Amino acid sequence: MPRNTSTSMSGRSSMSRRLFLTTTGAVSLGLTLTACGGSDSGGSSGSSKPVTQADIDKAMKTPTELTFWTWVPNIDKEVALFEAKYPAIKVKVVNAGQGTPQYTKLRTALKAGSGAPDMVQIEYQAIPTFTITDSLLDLRPYGASALKEKFVDWTWQQVSGSKGEVWAIPQDTGPLGMLYRKDIFDKHGIKVPATWDEFAAAARKLHKADPDVYLTNLAANQVAAWHGLLWQAGAKPYVVSGRSDITIGVDDAVSRKLGAYWGGLAQEGVVSTDPDFTDGWYAGFNKGKYATWITAAWGPAFLSGSAKATSGKWRAAPLPQWDASKPSSGNWGGSTTAVIRSTKNPIAAAQFAQFLNSDPASAKMFATEQFFFPATKALLTDATFTGDAPAFYGGQKVNQVFADISSTVNSSFQWPPFLDQAATDWTETVGKSFADKTDTVRALGTWQTRLTTYARSQGFTVETP
């Protein structure tokens, strides 16, 4: 069914805000945590032996109650589809908090050996924190590998382990693009920048012409955006090998290139560095202080609900490129469904995670009810999704723009198993350099030192590029 333009790009701010706020979620290493193995009718939760179709059929016909921790609003609608197909299975939905609060409760339950759910909502960047403690179930024995081709390649890489494990099933994504004020661009004769050099030139031109307007805002408190930009540039700030070896390169050549670029623009004063999700930041969008927003695929929905006074003035475009001949992007946001290894019902839980995110009706419901940006290839080529032309964006097919961007996201980016520390250290070093207009390249070195010291204190063997 075609999406309603009047509602598809508004009313999505709760979802987008959730993604925005929890992307920087503090997830601690917790090396002392242990996962408790369990079993159910049909297999052991810690087993790597594939279950048979007979095992699955038996488990799905056995009366069972599963507990699912998730912060997704109105997800009962998708859950109802699963329960209709498998009436013997009942799913108890629990909101244990958004992002960080949920992860904290989950770690506590795992450490206590009781109270953990069967399935859990988990963001891509949080997966390593829980796999390193053996807290997630490898879904390969339960048929998950067969779903690989249904999902965008880079999303499958994000949920996969170094030995081919499938730790979760992708649910939604946030490929990075750029929203821009067409009216401001037109007024000042600015073309949509195709490269970052063009972007910098436009930033200087615009701010000189109108000192009250900035080409963009570089939030000094938003480590998630920085990681997205690193991702786009081809950086590999974290490369995990095994359980205790990690290469940390947050001040490598690529990082320094970004640091010099963005730190330089901040020092020049041609981009603003306002903290996001503040009253001033919201007001900035409504009064035309920012001519672009470098954001993810959920950003268009958020902006349409937060800057209603600017309706019709915005358009979407890919990010400017470092190499225009090789289009690339990063990701910011999105999450998955994982199964906790201690579940007593691994077959039913694994089937739930797979159904919830790969069943065509359920996946489409996420796009049309919660307005999540899809992870499945089918939806990203579905004309009823890509053809949406919201008035807020002047009738532009914004979903199509971001669907095209999704295919350019690099598949090799990895997250560390101590993202909370990386986020804290970034904010106090690199982010602070933006706000204070000090040397960002030097701040990158401080971030590297702090993060390396922390990793070693946690028992990691650390190398640098």
Side-chain angles (χ1 to χ4, degrees):
M1 183 173 70
R3 300 170 68 199
N4 187 321
T5 302
S6 65
T7 61
S8 64
M9 297 301 291
S10 62
R12 298 199 278 183
S13 59
S14 61
M15 177 278 293
S16 301
R17 182 175 176 82
R18 180 266 301 174
L19 286 170
F20 208 116
L21 293 176
T22 60
T23 297
T24 58
V27 285
S28 65
L29 176 59
L31 285 176
T32 59
L33 298 184
T34 58
C36 301
S39 62
D40 75 346
S41 57
S44 167
S45 65
S47 172
S48 59
K49 181 180 179 181
V51 298
T52 66
Q53 187 60 49
D55 293 330
I56 294 175
D57 291 342
K58 179 182 178 182
M60 302 311 286
K61 293 177 182 178
T62 301
T64 304
E65 181 175 282
L66 301 172
T67 299
F68 178 34
W69 284 9
T70 176
W71 56 76
V72 175
N74 302 315
I75 200 170
D76 288 341
K77 295 180 179 180
E78 286 87 353
V79 171
L81 295 177
F82 173 81
E83 292 179 331
K85 183 173 182 178
Y86 301 106
I89 312 297
K90 302 302 177 186
V91 180
K92 180 181 180 182
V93 176
V94 176
N95 186 335
Q98 294 184 358
T100 302
Q102 176 194 267
Y103 302 147
T104 300
K105 291 177 182 177
L106 179 58
R107 290 195 300 270
T108 299
L110 290 170
K111 187 174 183 179
S114 64
D118 298 283
M119 302 85 61
V120 64
Q121 191 89 21
I122 186 168
E123 296 156 296
Y124 296 105
Q125 69 271 18
I127 291 175
T129 300
F130 290 100
T131 57
I132 199 171
T133 57
D134 287 331
S135 301
L136 303 184
L137 183 68
D138 180 1
L139 301 177
R140 284 180 299 175
Y142 308 93
S145 297
L147 300 180
K148 179 179 180 179
E149 295 307 313
K150 291 181 178 290
F151 293 93
V152 179
D153 294 344
W154 66 266
T155 66
W156 198 257
Q157 189 65 31
Q158 287 283 296
V159 301
S160 299
S162 60
K163 297 180 180 179
E165 303 95 334
V166 179
W167 296 124
I169 307 299
Q171 185 169 103
D172 62 305
T173 67
L176 276 176
M178 184 180 71
L179 303 180
Y180 67 95
R181 282 282 298 268
K182 184 178 184 299
D183 59 325
I184 295 177
F185 274 37
D186 289 347
K187 178 180 178 180
H188 295 282
I190 296 173
K191 295 182 179 180
V192 178
T195 67
W196 286 113
D197 284 344
E198 292 176 2
F199 186 90
R204 298 182 181 104
K205 176 181 179 179
L206 176 60
H207 194 61
K208 182 178 180 180
D210 188 343
D212 292 328
V213 180
Y214 299 86
L215 186 61
T216 201
N217 180 68
L218 179 67
N221 64 335
Q222 193 48 264
V223 65
W226 183 254
H227 279 101
L229 291 169
L230 284 174
W231 193 334
Q232 187 223 6
K236 294 183 179 180
Y238 321 103
V239 178
V240 180
S241 177
R243 297 178 60 83
S244 61
D245 296 335
I246 185 170
T247 298
I248 299 176
V250 297
D251 73 336
D252 64 358
V254 177
S255 300
R256 292 187 195 116
K257 177 177 69 175
L258 262 66
Y261 179 87
W262 287 107
L265 291 178
Q267 286 182 323
E268 288 182 50
V270 296
V271 299
S272 58
T273 58
D274 302 333
D276 55 24
F277 285 102
T278 61
D279 290 342
W281 184 77
Y282 284 111
F285 281 115
N286 278 287
K287 69 180 183 181
K289 181 178 180 180
Y290 315 127
T292 74
W293 184 23
I294 296 170
T295 187
W298 43 263
F302 181 88
L303 191 62
S304 65
S306 302
K308 295 180 180 178
T310 62
S311 180
K313 299 178 179 179
W314 291 89
R315 301 292 186 273
L319 288 180
Q321 299 293 310
W322 293 107
D323 183 349
S325 68
K326 299 177 182 178
S328 178
S329 188
N331 184 69
W332 176 2
S335 58
T336 70
T337 306
V339 176
I340 298 302
R341 190 168 178 266
S342 59
T343 179
K344 302 295 184 182
N345 302 286
I347 293 178
Q351 293 305 304
F352 173 82
Q354 294 175 67
F355 175 94
L356 187 70
N357 301 308
S358 68
D359 175 77
S362 181
K364 190 163 188 175
M365 190 175 286
F366 279 122
T368 57
E369 294 288 333
Q370 285 88 4
F371 303 103
F372 283 6
F373 198 78
T376 62
K377 295 176 181 177
L379 272 176
L380 290 175
T381 56
D382 185 336
T384 62
F385 174 75
T386 59
D388 188 25
F392 188 89
Y393 293 93
Q396 183 186 22
K397 296 179 180 179
V398 176
N399 286 340
Q400 181 67 66
V401 173
F402 281 94
D404 292 340
I405 293 171
S406 183
S407 67
T408 69
V409 174
N410 190 305
S411 295
S412 64
F413 193 87
Q414 294 185 42
W415 298 100
F418 39 78
L419 186 63
D420 56 340
Q421 191 67 34
T424 297
D425 288 346
W426 182 90
T427 302
E428 295 176 357
T429 57
V430 181
K432 191 173 188 299
S433 77
F434 295 149
D436 296 346
K437 295 180 171 56
T438 54
D439 190 339
T440 298
V441 174
R442 173 183 250 175
L444 286 168
T446 305
W447 184 27
Q448 171 82 27
T449 299
R450 287 177 57 161
L451 201 51
T452 298
T453 299
Y454 175 81
R456 286 174 175 157
S457 75
Q458 297 297 303
F460 283 91
T461 299
V462 182
E463 296 185 3
T464 56

